[in-house]
Amino acid sequence: MKVKILQCLCAACVAVLLVAGCTKPDDPQKKDDAISVSPDRLDASWEGQIFDIQVQSNCSWTISKTDEEGNAVDWVKCDRATGKDNLEFKVRVYKNTMTDARNATVTLSSGNVKAFIDVTQGGNPNPDPVPGPDPGPGPDPGPGPDPGPGPEGDEFTLTFDFTGSPFDGWPTASGDHIEGGITCIYPLGGVDYPFILADCGGAGASQMFWAVDGTPRLAFGAQYRYLGLPPIEGYRIGVVSCESVLLNEKSASMAPKIAVTDRIAPSAADAKAITDDSPDIVPGGQFQTWQAGGGGTYTYKLSQTASNTVYYLYALVKGAVSSIAITYYKDGYTPDPGPDPTPDPGPDPTPDPTPDPPAEADVVLSFDFTVTPFEGWPTAGKYEHTEGGITCIYPLNGVDYAFILADCGGATAAQMFWNPGPAYLAFGAQYRYLGLPAVAGHKLVKVYCENVEFSSQVPKVYITSAIAASAADAKAVNNDSPEIVKGGEYQIWSATGGGSYTYTLPETAPDTVYYIYAQVKGAISKLELSYAK
């Protein structure tokens, strides 16, 4: 009997111990929301600037942008509207067109918890002319409404940013098809500019909209979609420069294919049949294949356009735009084409590879490779590999500029060459580099390329700060690699040529060689390099 009692007592003790062992401790107290940003002060030049912001946080947050009176501002933009936990985002400060300096605050908020970024921008020493008055009425459903007199001068550029909150009247999701499209108003500098959101005849849903899910953007939500650009009385559209973003994860594998046309196709069959040779295509507006993952800048230099006329960005394959910069030229005005691309080469064949620049503070150099190759440039696809590459001289306006033709370590043939006929500069194999001229006292800030058909392979091109040590290292390069220059992330060039591609580089150093790197081979017809003092 005593044994049974002891067994029962032991069993009870074990049960108590098991219950005690399964009891959960109290959950630790939830940490208070916290947000911090670095840097927390931005001093922007009057020309405009892009900054990288690091966020340290343990909560969800939203972004707002206000002036000293608490009013929303449109000259500061962020590439996201919301975020959560630790993230990085970009702040863009647009060009100041006025003489007065200005201030704004970017605020990250989570309830009562806030972090602030103070933005200061200097005044413009040569301000743009004051825009004309507001033309008055709201959207006009017609194909070409007059937005009013707008800015003045021989040429000006308007930048329309779609990374903020949509304006009233813009669709924010796919909608019903409307014959001829709908007109939406974008207010900028006191003027209302009309955009036409349209699709080809017979479409079931227009699917052109200012998306608000995730990062705001202007979406070509399906193929065969059109965006009519604002016409201005007395001015013609000369340049259209677009920054692309990823439309959505489902579209990540679809590389947008975008052209500039002068009309909307009457049917989906007609829209599908549009090619670079179609009469719809505006000269200079031939198709460019945009990066599927977004992030590229694509420039169309148009000719034979007319004033006060609507031209369209046409998406043969759907995509999305974060901003559009449009340069207008006054009737009768011809922009400066830049320096003569074929000057007298001069007597000195071996100059200093980092020549003194012209006297002006900022320098734009245009190199044309559609002419006869200069002396010293290789003109065949295979020649002996030289460790570190070879230096070739391009004479321009009395100055000899040095280019480096190079490949990654261990290659047996460099295969960077100036093809004599038809003339172009070829990246004749994958993993090839073109070192760009370093200009004393200046930093490289923009690289503009025009490409030509070279092969059936679609070129994939970056801007880097170094040549890879081996083919394996070159193959592994991606947008997150340390040698990729900010703004030089890869763009997919058109395999059939005819496209123009712009890389804007905000964080380069002066007196430094940077490289155009072709992970997949391609060819260049013209190259325009911009340097800042």
Side-chain angles (χ1 to χ4, degrees):
M1 187 67 179
K2 289 181 180 180
V3 172
K4 289 184 178 179
I5 293 173
L6 287 172
Q7 287 176 338
C8 292
L9 288 172
C10 289
C13 291
V14 169
V16 170
L17 288 172
L18 286 173
V19 171
C22 293
T23 302
K24 293 182 180 179
D26 292 338
D27 290 336
Q29 185 177 359
K30 184 181 181 298
K31 293 182 179 179
D32 293 337
D33 289 349
I35 311 171
S36 63
V37 291
S38 178
D40 60 7
R41 179 177 177 82
L42 308 179
D43 293 309
S45 67
W46 65 266
E47 296 99 329
Q49 212 165 337
I50 298 175
F51 300 89
D52 290 321
I53 305 296
Q54 299 287 340
V55 182
Q56 295 290 323
S57 172
N58 62 355
C59 56
S60 299
W61 37 267
T62 59
I63 297 177
S64 61
K65 307 171 292 294
T66 56
D67 60 17
E68 294 166 306
E69 284 74 41
N71 302 312
V73 298
D74 61 3
W75 56 273
V76 176
K77 298 291 184 182
C78 304
D79 66 356
R80 62 169 53 246
T82 62
K84 183 179 180 181
D85 298 334
N86 301 335
L87 280 177
E88 179 179 326
F89 70 93
K90 294 183 184 294
V91 173
R92 165 181 274 177
V93 180
Y94 283 100
K95 176 182 176 181
N96 190 351
T97 60
M98 309 299 288
T99 55
D100 293 337
R102 54 187 179 179
N103 300 289
T105 301
V106 177
T107 304
L108 280 67
S109 305
S110 175
N112 293 326
V113 178
K114 301 181 186 295
F116 303 97
I117 305 169
D118 294 323
V119 182
T120 300
Q121 185 179 34
N124 189 335
N126 300 296
D128 295 342
V130 177
D134 187 334
D140 180 347
D146 180 2
E152 299 177 350
D154 288 334
E155 69 174 88
F156 56 86
T157 300
L158 301 175
T159 300
F160 301 94
D161 191 291
F162 296 99
T163 62
S165 299
F167 296 123
D168 290 341
W170 288 75
T172 55
S174 297
D176 293 334
H177 165 70
I178 299 176
E179 195 65 40
I182 61 172
T183 299
C184 300
I185 297 301
Y186 193 118
L188 185 67
V191 177
D192 289 338
Y193 294 96
F195 284 83
I196 298 174
L197 279 58
D199 46 74
C200 53
S206 63
Q207 293 188 303
M208 275 291 303
F209 54 94
W210 190 325
V212 293
D213 56 313
T215 302
R217 62 200 180 277
L218 187 63
F220 298 84
Q223 56 188 356
Y224 320 146
R225 265 47 188 183
Y226 292 81
L227 177 66
L229 305 176
I232 294 182
E233 182 70 38
Y235 289 84
R236 63 182 179 86
I237 295 179
V239 181
V240 180
S241 184
C242 308
E243 294 188 12
S244 72
V245 294
L246 176 65
L247 176 60
N248 55 47
E249 293 300 331
K250 294 180 180 179
S251 304
S253 61
M254 299 181 65
K257 192 172 181 181
I258 313 290
V260 181
T261 71
D262 60 6
R263 67 168 188 145
I264 301 171
S267 70
D270 291 326
K272 183 178 181 180
I274 292 175
T275 67
D276 284 341
D277 297 325
S278 300
D280 309 58
I281 299 295
V282 180
Q286 286 77 12
F287 282 104
Q288 296 186 36
T289 302
W290 294 10
Q291 180 179 324
T297 303
Y298 305 89
T299 300
Y300 301 84
K301 293 188 175 182
L302 308 179
S303 61
Q304 302 178 32
T305 51
S307 65
N308 196 30
T309 301
V310 177
Y311 293 94
Y312 300 87
L313 281 176
Y314 164 60
L316 182 67
V317 179
K318 63 182 180 179
V321 178
S322 60
S323 70
I324 302 174
I326 307 174
T327 300
Y328 295 85
Y329 299 136
K330 193 171 185 177
D331 278 349
Y333 169 73
T334 301
D336 184 358
D340 182 1
T342 57
D344 180 1
D348 183 2
T350 56
D352 181 355
T354 57
D356 291 334
E360 63 267 25
D362 295 328
V363 179
V364 178
L365 304 175
S366 296
F367 300 96
D368 192 327
F369 294 100
T370 64
V371 299
T372 302
F374 297 132
E375 184 178 353
W377 288 73
T379 55
K382 291 184 179 293
Y383 63 94
E384 186 176 355
H385 165 71
T386 302
E387 196 65 41
I390 63 170
T391 299
C392 299
I393 299 303
Y394 194 119
L396 187 66
N397 286 349
V399 178
D400 289 325
Y401 293 95
F403 286 84
I404 298 173
L405 278 56
D407 47 75
C408 54
T412 56
Q415 291 186 306
M416 275 290 302
F417 60 95
W418 188 334
N419 193 66
Y424 54 76
L425 187 65
F427 298 85
Q430 58 186 355
Y431 319 145
R432 265 43 189 183
Y433 294 81
L434 176 64
L436 304 175
V439 176
H442 289 65
K443 61 181 181 179
L444 182 65
V445 294
K446 185 180 290 185
V447 177
Y448 167 82
C449 309
E450 294 184 12
N451 82 317
V452 295
E453 181 177 7
F454 182 69
S455 69
S456 60
Q457 294 181 300
V458 180
K460 187 175 180 181
V461 185
Y462 301 81
I463 307 296
T464 72
S465 59
I467 301 171
S470 68
D473 291 331
K475 183 178 181 180
V477 170
N478 58 49
N479 283 340
D480 296 324
S481 300
E483 61 264 42
I484 297 299
V485 180
K486 281 280 188 184
E489 291 79 11
Y490 83 80
Q491 297 184 34
I492 297 176
W493 294 9
S494 170
T496 58
S500 55
Y501 306 88
T502 301
Y503 301 83
T504 301
L505 314 176
E507 298 180 6
T508 50
D511 309 308
T512 303
V513 174
Y514 293 95
Y515 300 87
I516 296 177
Y517 164 55
Q519 194 171 64
V520 179
K521 62 183 180 179
I524 295 176
S525 58
K526 293 183 181 179
L527 184 62
E528 184 177 281
L529 306 177
S530 299
Y531 298 82
K533 185 74 171 177

